[in-house]
């Protein structure tokens, strides 16, 4: 019995018990459903073993949406708790856990997965490639991310969630002040998911550098591909820092080392530095692809080519460089002294320059354009003003001396949500709606989509603008309650209503998926938006091999030019196409990582050894494997192409 | 398969070329990883708490053995790749085997060294310095140890299949990995040991 006690949740409440029952029942229902409808074979051969970048992208998308709801429910609980002074809906301990998991889930498992979903689906199509450079590794990336996310979410019902904030600062996150295993989940789940992200980074750098269609020079790449390239470079150089920091944090917690402790020479500030040396580039890892999406969407729906393409590319590159030079602004108040703070204050404010260039370029793209107010365009239009407000408050926070007033108040919380929601979430929803027809062969309903947009846009403003005021009035972040005389009540109540608006918006999006899947026409052709880049030049839904013939490119908007300038994209004859084989190894290996991770969380060493041996064996199997892929025969391609033509034209 | 006359076999297929570039990018990530570990070590260097410092522990003899052995192994793997390009299977296998034996020697001496450190009162838990030192050296040593298994696997495959685009590609990538570990060791040699002993 003693053995099982460690798996108990430390602060059990009826909610958690109910969740356990709900999770158990859902699992049983899903497993029973798959068995009843005899879908195990389909699930295994079409999804769990797939190495197709489009399917992997779709799995990322589904996971991201699920995590969006997990993180969203956390957010609603926080806003409900603080909606009234002295509220007792949640205890302080529960509140700590919820703001921690909200941040981790939203950043690592929602936003990262969402950008990876769109990169996976879109980038190979946009550059005219058949797949990514390393399809097998791509599958491994997804499954590592997925297992990391599942391991982290398991903490809710087994052993208890981490509670030292998504930044997990030491010494708070150390054994002394967080004796419970919750923080182990944080360290190890992020390590596993981070490994997946690093592999994605390497994979996409090689893909974009080496697999572009003939004629697509670097300066002819679509902006989304450019942003994906720079994002993956950031991933490749920033994530190893997180890897090391997490490993050292894990060693402090499990092996009693003294990296971040208060005694024996340990240095807690080192964690804060490493965390943000990774963490600030991470902000741009999330927002650069978003900028890429906006560039595509605004250009498509203004019916104009992108204004200032070269300056857009330069701006992305400058932002990515500055991203590594600003990390100290996350802790101006932690005693670096005036000189260091001044330097980082200046580099921080400098980021506003390339970002401002991008904003003006988008505005100039729309200038004299024929603007179509579709759902993706609405998100882009909503993004510009709201994001700019967030950016300007960022410059306010970047002034080191003034930051002493704002630091760790709700003003900061307002700032980063007002930046990251329009900057990332709007972009992801815009991108999802924009590429949805390519992914699934039908369009999302515009009317419901617009309702969802207005709920989300107004909800965002209502939820976070009041925090600027309560923050300036002195409301600290991460406090589970406040007294009535503080006068924060009204602002927090408004925030709660805003959060409800956001929730309503997301419910409408889910309803939209259901409604459109059921009623939308499948007769949409290959290019429903009259778009400009290569991903629209192939069939809908996209065949396994993407392009029957590799396109040949000689401009920035090859598809547009082929439609309206009479250029030919596909000049060659159809030939046999070489494709990689499916494999179950990535899924199995990631499952071993999950087991090893669980063992590490609870220091169950035999479990760790067995799982590690499993991983090693799989590495050897992979090394000795003789798998040259397979060929899709020319006739088969012709049949597929003719079929699709008959169906959609 | 686009085989130009001058293209070495390890580059000879599209997949092979992608693998090699991918591995270079991976080395880029590894540089970031080791840079972080070095940064940690430099910060922790003087934070020795009640334990011994590097100057008190580092011994020139084991250091020279390790350095000599690892640097030589980098030379022999280079000879191995050269032999592979000349199509000489026996020589390639011999040089690969010598490389792995030297690598194993390096790991052996490192384990002995760690044992000595612990004996003299520097365990992983002693101080921030010990944590930084063991993590930096241990990560490098773990990479070398991983390489031993990897290289052994490649030897088996060359024996089984001879030189094919696949085995040639694996051998070449393994040599990149091995050279990289050598470069990391040069930094450890200079900035951990020599700096610590001065």
């Amino acid at each position: 019995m003693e053995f099982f006690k460690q798996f108990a949740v430390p602060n059990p409440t009826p909610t958690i018990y109910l969740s356990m029952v709900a999770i158990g029942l859902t699992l049983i229902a899903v497993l029973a459903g798959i068995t009843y409808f005899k879908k195990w074979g389909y699930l295994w051969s079409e999804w769990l073993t797939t190495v197709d970048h489009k399917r992997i992208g779709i799995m990322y998308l589904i996971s991201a949406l699920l995590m969006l709801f997990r993180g969203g429910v956390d957010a609603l609980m926080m806003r409900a708790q603080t909606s009234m002074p002295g509220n007792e809906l949640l205890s302080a301990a529960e509140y700590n856990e919820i703001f921690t998991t909200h941040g981790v889930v939203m950043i690592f498992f929602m936003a990262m997965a969402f950008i990876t979903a769109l990169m996976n689906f879109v980038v190979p199509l946009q550059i005219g490639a058949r797949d990514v450079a390393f399809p097998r590794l791509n599958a491994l990336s997804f499954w590592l991310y997925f297992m990391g996310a599942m391991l982290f979410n398991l903490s809710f019902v087994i052993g208890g969630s981490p509670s030292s904030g998504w930044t997990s600062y030491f010494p708070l996150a150390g054994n002394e002040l967080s004796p419970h295993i919750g923080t182990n989940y944080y360290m190890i789940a992020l390590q596993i998911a981070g490994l997946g992200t690093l592999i994605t980074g390497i994979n996409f750098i090689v893909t974009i550098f080496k697999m572009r269609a003939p004629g697509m020079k670097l300066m002819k790449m679509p902006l989304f591909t450019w942003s994906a390239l720079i994002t993956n470079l950031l991933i490749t150089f920033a994530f190893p820092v997180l890897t090391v920091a997490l490993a050292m944090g894990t060693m402090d917690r499990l092996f009693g080392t003294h990296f971040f402790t208060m005694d024996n020479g340990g240095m807690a500030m080192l964690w804060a530095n490493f965390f943000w040396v990774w963490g600030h580039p991470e902000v741009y890892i999330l927002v650069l692809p978003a900028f890429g999406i906006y560039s595509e969407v605004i250009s498509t729906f203004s019916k104009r080519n992108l204004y200032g393409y070269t300056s857009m590319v330069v701006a992305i590159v400058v932002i990515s460089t500055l991203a590594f030079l600003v990390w100290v602004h996350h802790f101006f108040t932690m005693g670096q002294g005036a000189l260091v703070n001044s330097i980082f204050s200046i580099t921080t404010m400098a980021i506003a320059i390339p970002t401002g260039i991008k904003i003006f370029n988008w505005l100039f793209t729309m200038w004299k354009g024929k603007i179509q107010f579709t759902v993706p365009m609405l998100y882009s239009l909503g993004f510009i003003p709201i994001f700019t407000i967030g950016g300007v408050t960022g410059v306010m926070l970047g002034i080191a001396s003034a930051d002493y007033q704002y630091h760790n108040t709700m003003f900061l919380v307002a700032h980063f949500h007002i930046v990251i929601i329009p900057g990332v979430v709007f972009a992801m929803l815009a991108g999802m709606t924009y590429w949805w027809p390519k992914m699934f062969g039908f369009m999302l309903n515009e009317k419901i989509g617009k309702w969802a947009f207005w709920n989300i846009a107004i909800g965002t403003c209502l939820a976070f603008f009041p925090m600027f005021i309560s923050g300036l009035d002195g409301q600290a972040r991460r406090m589970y309650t406040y007294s009535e005389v503080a006068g924060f009540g009204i602002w927090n109540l408004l925030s709660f209503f805003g959060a409800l608006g956001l929730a309503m918006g997301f419910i409408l999006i889910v309803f939209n998926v259901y409604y459109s899947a059921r009623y939308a026409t499948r007769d949409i052709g290959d290019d429903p938006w009259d778009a400009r880049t290569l991903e629209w030049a192939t069939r809908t839904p996209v065949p396994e091999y993407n392009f029957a013939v590799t396109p040949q490119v000689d401009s920035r908007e090859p598809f547009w030019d082929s439609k309206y300038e009479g250029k030919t994209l596909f000049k060659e004859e159809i030939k046999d196409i070489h494709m990689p084989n499916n494999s179950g190894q990535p899924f199995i290996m990631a499952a071993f990582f999950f087991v090893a991770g669980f063992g590490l969380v609870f220091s169950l060493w035999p479990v760790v050894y067995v799982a590690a041996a499993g991983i090693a064996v799989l590495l050897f199997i992979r090394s000795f494997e003789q798998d040259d892929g397979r060929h899709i025969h020319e006739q088969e391609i012709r049949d597929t192409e003719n079929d699709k033509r008959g169906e959609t034209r | 398969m686009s085989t130009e006359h001058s293209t070495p076999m390890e580059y000879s297929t599209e997949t092979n070329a992608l693998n090699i570039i991918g591995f270079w990018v991976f080395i880029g990530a590894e540089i970031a990883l080791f840079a972080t570990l070095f940064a940690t070590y430099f910060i922790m260097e003087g934070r020795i708490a009640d334990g011994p410092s590097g100057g008190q522990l580092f011994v020139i003899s084991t250091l020279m053995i390790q350095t000599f052995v690892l640097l030589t192994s980098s030379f022999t793997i280079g000879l191995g790749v050269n032999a592979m390009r000349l199509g000489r299977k026996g020589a390639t296998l011999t040089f690969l085997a010598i490389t792995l034996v030297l690598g194993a020697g390096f790991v052996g001496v490192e384990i002995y060294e760690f044992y000595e450190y612990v004996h003299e009162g520097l365990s992983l838990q002693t101080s921030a310095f010990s944590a930084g030192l063991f993590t930096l050296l241990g990560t490098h040593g773990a990479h070398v140890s991983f390489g031993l298994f990897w290289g052994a696997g490649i030897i088996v495959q060359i024996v089984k299949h001879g030189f094919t685009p696949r085995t040639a590609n694996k051998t070449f990538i393994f040599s990149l990995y091995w050279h990289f570990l050598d470069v990391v060791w040069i930094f450890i040699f200079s900035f951990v040991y020599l700096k610590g002993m001065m």
Side-chain angles (χ1 to χ4, degrees):
Chain A
M1 260 347 268
E2 212 36 52
F3 176 75
F4 289 103
K5 267 193 188 147
Q6 60 183 326
F7 301 118
V9 177
N11 309 303
T13 56
T15 336
I16 292 185
Y17 288 129
L18 274 176
S19 313
M20 287 180 187
V21 176
I23 291 171
L25 289 178
T26 315
L27 260 179
I28 293 169
V30 169
L31 298 181
I34 297 171
T35 314
Y36 181 77
F37 292 107
K38 298 196 170 57
K39 290 287 181 194
W40 281 111
Y42 166 79
L43 194 67
W44 177 257
S45 61
E46 300 292 316
W47 295 96
L48 298 187
T49 60
T50 189
V51 294
D52 181 339
H53 71 97
K54 301 180 285 295
R55 284 171 185 248
I56 291 171
I58 287 168
M59 290 195 288
Y60 266 116
L61 181 68
I62 295 167
S63 315
L65 289 172
L66 286 174
M67 288 297 119
L68 180 62
F69 278 84
R70 160 79 215 263
V73 171
D74 283 347
L76 277 178
M77 286 197 282
M78 279 191 280
R79 289 294 102 221
Q81 161 63 23
T82 51
S83 62
M84 285 178 293
N87 199 358
E88 284 175 8
L89 185 68
L90 300 172
S91 70
E94 286 164 333
Y95 193 79
N96 290 348
E97 292 181 357
I98 286 169
F99 73 65
T100 303
T101 53
H102 167 74
V104 174
V105 166
M106 285 300 202
I107 296 286
F108 288 91
F109 303 132
M110 188 283 282
M112 284 303 287
F114 223 137
I115 63 159
T116 319
L118 295 177
M119 283 195 308
N120 254 293
F121 192 89
V122 177
V123 166
L125 292 174
Q126 240 179 14
I127 60 174
R130 296 251 150 80
D131 206 321
V132 292
F134 311 112
R136 185 79 77 87
L137 279 181
N138 201 23
L140 181 64
S141 285
F142 170 72
W143 288 113
L144 284 175
Y145 149 75
F146 183 81
M147 294 299 174
M150 290 303 111
L151 184 64
F152 187 83
N153 280 281
L154 201 62
S155 69
F156 187 57
V157 286
I158 299 182
S161 303
S163 59
S164 38
W166 87 278
T167 51
S168 211
Y169 278 173
F170 284 80
L172 177 61
N175 277 336
E176 217 171 308
L177 298 170
S178 295
H180 200 261
I181 53 94
T183 305
N184 295 356
Y185 270 116
Y186 173 98
M187 298 285 159
I188 288 152
L190 294 193
Q191 189 71 283
I192 294 172
L195 188 58
T197 308
L198 179 61
I199 296 172
T200 300
I202 296 169
N203 207 341
F204 275 83
I205 290 172
V206 179
T207 305
I208 297 173
F209 271 132
K210 298 305 289 182
M211 296 178 72
R212 299 191 306 277
M216 189 182 276
K217 303 252 166 52
L218 279 177
M219 287 309 276
K220 287 198 169 73
M221 291 197 306
L223 243 266
F224 180 65
T225 302
W226 253 114
S227 65
L229 173 66
I230 301 297
T231 290
N232 285 297
L233 281 167
L234 283 175
I235 286 176
T236 306
F237 289 101
F239 266 76
V241 181
L242 180 72
T243 302
V244 171
L246 289 171
M248 298 195 305
T250 309
M251 285 166 72
D252 268 13
R253 292 188 55 87
L254 296 185
F255 308 136
T257 54
H258 292 282
F259 285 108
F260 309 128
T261 55
M262 301 299 281
D263 54 355
N264 288 40
M267 192 192 212
M269 274 309 292
L270 188 62
W271 168 271
N273 276 283
F274 280 160
F275 185 86
W276 288 113
V277 167
W278 160 82
H280 203 87
E282 166 70 11
V283 173
Y284 293 98
I285 289 167
L286 295 177
V287 88
L288 288 181
F291 287 172
I293 292 169
Y294 288 132
S295 301
E296 305 285 340
V297 166
I298 288 174
S299 167
T300 300
F301 296 110
S302 305
K303 293 280 160 275
R304 292 197 57 199
N305 60 336
L306 191 71
Y307 183 91
Y309 175 93
T310 314
S311 64
M312 282 299 220
V313 172
V314 173
I316 296 178
V317 175
V318 172
I319 290 175
S320 71
T321 316
L322 287 174
F324 280 102
L325 303 173
V326 298
W327 77 91
V328 170
H329 74 208
H330 293 273
F331 43 87
F332 277 145
T333 58
M334 296 196 201
Q336 288 79 219
L339 179 66
V340 172
N341 276 358
S342 307
I343 292 167
F344 281 91
S345 195
I346 289 165
T347 53
T348 301
M349 285 186 262
I351 287 194
I353 298 167
T355 317
I357 289 173
K358 296 189 78 72
I359 300 267
F360 281 110
N361 280 341
W362 288 315
L363 293 176
F364 283 130
T365 305
M366 285 186 272
W367 179 255
K368 288 187 178 170
K370 289 198 195 80
I371 297 179
Q372 296 167 301
F373 292 94
T374 58
V375 171
M377 190 63 175
L378 282 179
Y379 280 112
S380 311
L381 293 174
F383 149 78
I384 293 178
I386 305 177
F387 181 82
T388 308
I389 294 170
V392 170
T393 55
V395 177
M396 288 169 72
L397 284 156
I399 303 168
S401 48
D403 184 60
Y404 278 76
Q405 180 66 26
Y406 319 127
H407 186 77
N408 268 358
T409 65
M410 293 306 274
F411 187 89
L412 169 80
V413 176
H415 156 71
F416 70 71
H417 282 94
I418 286 289
V419 173
I420 217 164
I421 292 181
V424 180
V425 180
F426 282 22
M428 295 310 133
L429 296 174
M432 181 179 89
T433 316
Y434 180 61
W435 283 302
W436 190 273
K438 228 1 145 208
M439 290 179 178
F440 298 104
F442 63 91
M443 297 175 81
L444 289 173
N445 185 290
E446 280 283 301
K447 199 169 175 191
I448 306 172
K450 282 175 187 170
W451 274 101
F453 163 75
W454 286 109
N455 268 287
I456 288 174
I458 296 171
T460 305
C461 296
L462 189 58
F464 298 105
F465 285 152
M467 291 181 193
F468 282 125
I469 301 169
S470 68
L472 285 177
D473 279 349
Q475 188 185 359
R477 73 193 285 210
R478 293 174 171 171
M479 300 301 286
Y480 85 111
T481 192
Y482 50 88
S483 69
E484 200 176 342
V485 287
F488 304 143
I490 178 68
W491 307 119
N492 284 283
L493 188 63
L494 286 174
S495 278
F496 177 56
F497 289 137
L500 290 178
L502 276 162
M504 192 60 214
F506 291 120
I507 291 169
L508 281 170
I509 287 173
V510 174
F511 174 67
N512 197 1
V513 170
Y514 163 77
Y515 181 89
S516 306
R518 186 141 184 200
Y519 300 110
T521 173
R522 262 61 179 172
D523 187 20
I524 53 165
D526 297 332
D527 176 29
W529 303 113
D530 191 18
R532 314 175 80 87
T533 41
L534 276 183
E535 73 269 30
W536 304 99
T538 180
R539 308 270 163 238
T540 299
V542 188
E544 183 193 3
Y545 45 77
N546 291 356
F547 296 92
V549 171
T550 303
Q552 300 199 4
V553 178
D554 63 357
S555 68
R556 277 174 194 161
E557 297 180 321
F559 183 52
W560 181 265
D561 293 346
S562 80
K563 284 190 291 187
Y564 297 106
E565 309 272 325
K567 287 184 179 164
T568 324
L569 271 178
F570 302 107
K571 294 176 184 159
E572 290 169 5
E573 285 295 299
I574 293 179
K575 282 183 280 194
D576 287 4
I577 295 175
H578 178 245
M579 297 296 290
N581 284 326
N582 284 0
S583 167
Q585 287 171 26
F587 175 77
I588 298 169
M589 186 185 277
F592 275 126
F593 268 96
F594 178 90
V595 175
F598 186 82
L600 276 170
V601 168
F602 291 96
S603 304
L604 304 170
W605 302 111
V607 176
V608 179
Y609 298 145
V610 169
I615 294 167
V617 167
L618 278 167
L619 282 173
F620 265 94
I621 291 177
R622 173 62 177 146
S623 178
F624 280 81
E625 192 178 5
Q626 303 278 324
D627 179 2
D628 286 316
R630 69 205 151 86
H631 282 88
I632 302 178
H633 196 261
E634 181 195 326
Q635 193 53 46
E636 202 182 318
I637 300 163
R638 283 186 201 285
D639 292 347
T640 316
E641 292 293 302
N642 290 337
D643 264 9
K644 293 212 182 290
R645 209 161 275 143
E647 209 176 88
T648 53
R649 306 228 146 159
Chain B
M1 242 185 260
S2 63
T3 30
E4 259 179 75
H5 185 64
S6 56
T7 314
M9 196 191 256
E10 64 266 25
Y11 279 99
S12 63
T13 67
E14 204 190 326
T15 319
N16 276 1
L18 289 177
N19 286 349
I20 291 172
I21 291 166
F23 200 80
W24 275 110
V25 180
F26 170 73
I27 288 181
E30 287 271 62
I31 290 172
L33 183 120
F34 276 104
T36 314
L37 288 171
F38 273 107
T40 308
Y41 175 76
F42 294 147
I43 291 164
M44 299 309 194
E45 204 179 359
R47 297 173 161 261
I48 55 171
D50 301 328
S53 70
Q56 292 165 298
L57 286 170
F58 297 153
V59 182
I60 198 100
S61 57
T62 47
L63 173 65
M64 290 322 284
I65 297 170
Q66 280 180 296
T67 308
F68 180 76
V69 163
L70 201 66
L71 262 58
T72 311
S73 79
S74 204
F75 180 59
T76 53
I77 187 81
L79 291 175
V81 169
N82 192 47
M84 180 179 82
R85 288 200 174 148
L86 298 172
R88 292 167 64 180
K89 190 171 157 186
T92 310
L93 287 172
T94 312
F95 283 126
L96 271 176
I98 294 173
T99 305
L100 294 188
V101 169
L102 291 170
F106 170 86
V107 174
V109 177
E110 185 156 63
I111 290 171
Y112 165 76
E113 194 190 24
F114 279 13
Y115 174 80
E116 286 291 300
Y117 290 167
V118 173
H119 209 67
E120 287 174 48
L122 191 84
S123 73
L124 185 61
Q125 290 84 4
T126 305
S127 60
F129 160 73
S130 75
L133 180 75
F134 281 119
T135 310
L136 174 57
L137 298 182
T139 307
H140 177 263
H143 274 76
V144 177
S145 309
F146 178 80
L148 298 179
F149 291 100
W150 184 10
I154 290 173
I155 289 181
V156 174
Q157 291 182 49
I158 295 179
V159 169
K160 239 164 107 180
H161 305 292
F163 291 137
T164 65
R166 192 195 301 275
T167 52
N169 190 239
K170 282 174 192 287
T171 313
F172 183 75
I173 289 176
F174 176 71
S175 78
L176 292 181
Y177 178 78
W178 202 262
H179 289 313
F180 170 70
L181 294 182
D182 208 45
V183 172
V184 173
W185 179 257
I186 290 169
F187 279 87
I188 292 177
F189 173 81
S190 317
F191 296 112
V192 175
Y193 287 101
L194 289 190
K195 188 167 167 246
M197 281 190 266
M198 272 197 294

